[in-house]
Amino acid sequence: MKVILKSKQNKSLTATDPDGLETHFDSSIEHGGDGSASSPMVVMLEAMAACSFMDVMFIIKKQRKRVDELQVIVDSKRAEEHPKVYTSVHLHYILRSPDAEQKDLDRAMELSQTKFCSASAMFQRSGCEVSWDGEIVKD
């Protein structure tokens, strides 16, 4: 896979993937950015959550359960010294569904984190502790 990264006035960045889709990056104002986009490290965390989100959504739907809403709240910690890698990430899934049970969500989260989510596997293989839990909300 090939991506192209370009700078706009030496501040924010735009990455373009092979399909022509763009992702925007910036750094904090205190580090010279203009605050117009997430930092690369935040985007990595977002990508991990999005990857697992898509897995869980697909698995729940494959179980023939209705998904009214799915949310993932991510809490993370980074090393204090450079390189400031993620040392731990916790994903908390909140599934709003009238017919899904906790066991359905538990199975979907487990499959995502141990088998399907490539982004999570990259975090785990780099030594980052990844944990997860979830809850079902009934209407």
Side-chain angles (χ1 to χ4, degrees):
M1 181 179 297
K2 180 179 177 180
V3 297
I4 299 170
L5 196 65
K6 293 182 183 179
S7 174
K8 296 178 182 177
Q9 291 112 27
N10 295 323
K11 288 191 177 181
S12 62
L13 306 170
T14 301
T16 306
D17 74 9
D19 295 325
L21 301 173
E22 294 182 343
T23 303
H24 301 278
F25 301 89
D26 198 6
S27 61
S28 64
I29 294 171
E30 65 190 36
H31 289 106
D34 59 18
S36 64
S38 295
S39 73
M41 288 300 288
V42 171
V43 172
M44 288 179 65
L45 208 57
E46 293 169 340
M48 176 188 179
C51 180
S52 184
F53 179 105
M54 291 177 194
D55 291 341
V56 170
M57 178 73 79
F58 176 79
I59 294 165
I60 295 291
K61 287 182 174 181
K62 192 169 183 177
Q63 295 168 339
R64 300 185 190 274
K65 305 297 180 181
R66 192 172 100 197
V67 176
D68 290 340
E69 181 179 290
L70 179 61
Q71 181 176 340
V72 180
I73 300 170
V74 183
D75 186 26
S76 65
K77 291 185 178 148
R78 290 177 66 184
E80 292 187 23
E81 308 228 351
H82 290 284
K84 295 183 178 183
V85 298
Y86 288 105
T87 57
S88 68
V89 176
H90 181 78
L91 297 101
H92 179 72
Y93 301 78
I94 303 170
L95 172 62
R96 184 176 303 274
S97 172
D99 56 353
E101 300 297 327
Q102 187 65 45
K103 66 179 177 58
D104 301 320
L105 178 57
D106 290 345
R107 180 71 176 144
M109 293 182 301
E110 179 76 21
L111 285 170
S112 174
Q113 290 300 316
T114 63
K115 185 172 183 178
F116 296 118
C117 183
S118 302
S120 185
M122 289 180 65
F123 274 75
Q124 293 174 39
R125 289 181 185 171
S126 72
C128 180
E129 179 184 324
V130 177
S131 60
W132 61 90
D133 64 10
E135 65 182 282
I136 302 280
V137 176
K138 302 282 185 183
D139 288 331

